[in-house]
Amino acid sequence: MLLPTYKDIANAAAVLAGVARHTPIETSRTLDDQLGVHCFIKCENLQRMGAFKFRGAYTAVNHYLNGVDGKELKGVLTYSSGNHAQAIALAATKTLDIPSTIIMPTDAPALKLKATQEYGGNVVFYDRYKEIRDEVAEKVKATLPEGTVFIPPYNHKYVIAGQGTVGKELVEDLQSKSITLDYLFVCVGGGGLISGISLAVKELSPKTVIIGVEPEAGNDAQQSLEQGQIVHIDTPKTIADGAQTQHLGDLTFEIMQRNVSKIITVTDEQLVEEMKFIGERMKMIVEPTGCLALAGVRKLVSRGEIEKGANCGVIISGGNVDLERYCKLISSTF
């Protein structure tokens, strides 16, 4: 599949108009005072189904509405630990009345599993620590009707294009107020969000430095960019379940090589600290993965790598976390 371009992102924005939410950009004077920079926080936790993933899922499903290899679209198959699962079920089944089959790990967060099922997704379980999900997907697809299309969580042209609309909105909204970002921090799992955003940002604000943030326990993207090849790792054990990917995709990796300045890592403890800050000071419940970017900003500021007064974009990717787990995490000690 060909790499997406900025034109694909602009087309995705048109597809998503009136379907996805144009999410707000929030600021915090307390945060800016603590860090000595200006943070502009794009709140994808307020997106439909609680995460940015709806954008890519709907864009991709919409692409296949005219058929798959000459056949009528009969269904959608994917795998996901939660947010893409919900997004596909909502976009395909709940919104467009197309059957969806979702392969989810047995330890998927209960809230994400419940929402996926309530949106109409047919869930098939697998053990992410013992089974390879691509192999599971091949077996499941063989049981589904012809005309079923597989839409992966990140390594897909139209998924990436849909996610890129996050960056398009952020930059355009800030430019309308004469604000230019010096840095943009984005969480990294499989790379769909950061690669899509990077295409939009390099088109609209080419001097903005794009920095990816991933869990310390799962730094495959960091290793991949440093080594110049896709690095595969075992499923990382981290509270950031949305970033428990084992490797980047070939599409996302190529885009990231071109556009992302570097990847940094943060600890689970740092993620919990940002969950607390966002909850206490900004009055939002955000899942651990959604806190990666802000934790990254704080880390680089503490190291003196971000100049005082810099304009920093921060993507909160999602807010889907069980309340019981949320309470345990913010009360935990490491």
Side-chain angles (χ1 to χ4, degrees), residues 159-308:
V159 170
I160 294 170
Q163 319 306 25
T165 61
V166 176
K168 182 176 186 293
E169 286 180 9
L170 175 62
V171 171
E172 290 179 342
D173 286 353
L174 291 177
Q175 287 180 342
S176 71
K177 300 176 182 178
S178 300
I179 298 169
T180 300
L181 290 176
D182 298 302
Y183 301 91
L184 178 56
F185 290 77
V186 187
C187 63
V188 179
L193 180 63
I194 195 170
S195 59
I197 284 177
S198 75
L199 290 170
V201 172
K202 289 306 179 183
E203 175 73 21
L204 301 172
S205 183
K207 293 184 179 179
T208 298
V209 175
I210 301 171
I211 298 171
V213 189
E214 63 184 343
E216 189 176 86
N219 69 330
D220 61 291
Q222 183 183 58
Q223 293 182 59
S224 297
L225 289 195
E226 289 175 351
Q227 296 181 26
Q229 61 184 357
I230 297 175
V231 172
H232 292 245
I233 62 172
D234 293 333
T235 300
K237 294 187 177 180
T238 169
I239 62 172
D241 63 275
Q244 285 184 294
T245 47
Q246 296 174 291
H247 58 85
L248 299 173
D250 57 343
L251 302 182
T252 59
F253 176 62
E254 185 170 341
I255 297 168
M256 290 170 66
Q257 277 191 305
R258 296 178 185 177
N259 297 338
V260 176
S261 295
K262 64 178 174 179
I263 306 287
I264 62 173
T265 65
V266 296
T267 65
D268 282 359
E269 182 178 8
Q270 289 171 311
L271 294 181
V272 169
E273 288 304 308
E274 300 308 340
M275 290 173 69
K276 292 178 182 178
F277 178 86
I278 295 170
E280 290 175 348
R281 307 312 294 257
M282 301 187 71
K283 316 307 176 189
M284 293 189 294
I285 294 175
V286 175
E287 63 186 281
T289 308
C291 295
L292 281 165
L294 184 55
V297 177
R298 200 180 295 272
K299 179 176 182 176
L300 291 195
V301 166
S302 70
R303 289 182 170 183
E305 295 182 31
I306 304 294
E307 63 273 18
K308 294 292 184 182

Side-chain angles (χ1 to χ4, degrees), residues 12-260:
V15 167
L16 292 169
V19 180
R21 292 193 181 121
H22 188 120
T23 51
I25 301 169
E26 297 292 343
T27 58
S28 166
R29 186 173 298 173
T30 300
L31 181 63
D32 290 356
D33 289 344
Q34 284 181 1
L35 302 182
V37 300
H38 304 291
C39 289
F40 300 92
I41 301 174
K42 179 69 166 168
C43 298
E44 284 297 293
N45 54 306
L46 303 179
Q47 185 53 260
R48 290 185 67 181
M49 51 70 52
F52 74 94
K53 291 282 191 178
F54 179 74
R55 296 172 183 265
Y58 188 89
T59 302
V61 174
N62 180 79
H63 170 72
Y64 292 111
L65 287 180
N66 291 327
V68 183
D69 297 329
K71 301 182 181 69
E72 180 185 356
L73 179 62
K74 292 291 187 180
V76 177
L77 171 67
T78 195
Y79 46 56
S80 167
S81 64
N83 280 339
H84 182 67
Q86 294 174 80
I88 286 291
L90 175 58
T93 307
K94 187 76 171 180
T95 306
L96 298 170
D97 201 29
I98 297 165
S100 58
T101 301
I102 321 292
I103 299 166
M104 299 186 73
T106 52
D107 63 344
L111 177 71
K112 296 180 179 182
L113 170 61
K114 181 181 178 183
T116 300
Q117 293 172 324
E118 288 180 348
Y119 290 140
N122 174 39
V123 176
V124 176
F125 293 104
Y126 81 106
D127 185 334
R128 70 165 118 200
Y129 299 104
K130 296 180 180 179
E131 297 180 278
I132 299 173
R133 64 183 185 177
D134 288 301
E135 294 178 358
V136 176
E138 287 182 14
K139 293 177 183 177
V140 173
K141 192 171 189 297
T143 69
L144 298 174
E146 281 193 79
T148 298
V149 66
F150 177 68
I151 300 178
Y154 52 86
N155 200 48
H156 187 284
K157 177 179 180 178
Y158 296 100
V159 170
I160 294 170
Q163 319 306 25
T165 61
V166 176
K168 182 176 186 293
E169 286 180 9
L170 175 62
V171 171
E172 290 179 342
D173 286 353
L174 291 177
Q175 287 180 342
S176 71
K177 300 176 182 178
S178 300
I179 298 169
T180 300
L181 290 176
D182 298 302
Y183 301 91
L184 178 56
F185 290 77
V186 187
C187 63
V188 179
L193 180 63
I194 195 170
S195 59
I197 284 177
S198 75
L199 290 170
V201 172
K202 289 306 179 183
E203 175 73 21
L204 301 172
S205 183
K207 293 184 179 179
T208 298
V209 175
I210 301 171
I211 298 171
V213 189
E214 63 184 343
E216 189 176 86
N219 69 330
D220 61 291
Q222 183 183 58
Q223 293 182 59
S224 297
L225 289 195
E226 289 175 351
Q227 296 181 26
Q229 61 184 357
I230 297 175
V231 172
H232 292 245
I233 62 172
D234 293 333
T235 300
K237 294 187 177 180
T238 169
I239 62 172
D241 63 275
Q244 285 184 294
T245 47
Q246 296 174 291
H247 58 85
L248 299 173
D250 57 343
L251 302 182
T252 59
F253 176 62
E254 185 170 341
I255 297 168
M256 290 170 66
Q257 277 191 305
R258 296 178 185 177
N259 297 338
V260 176

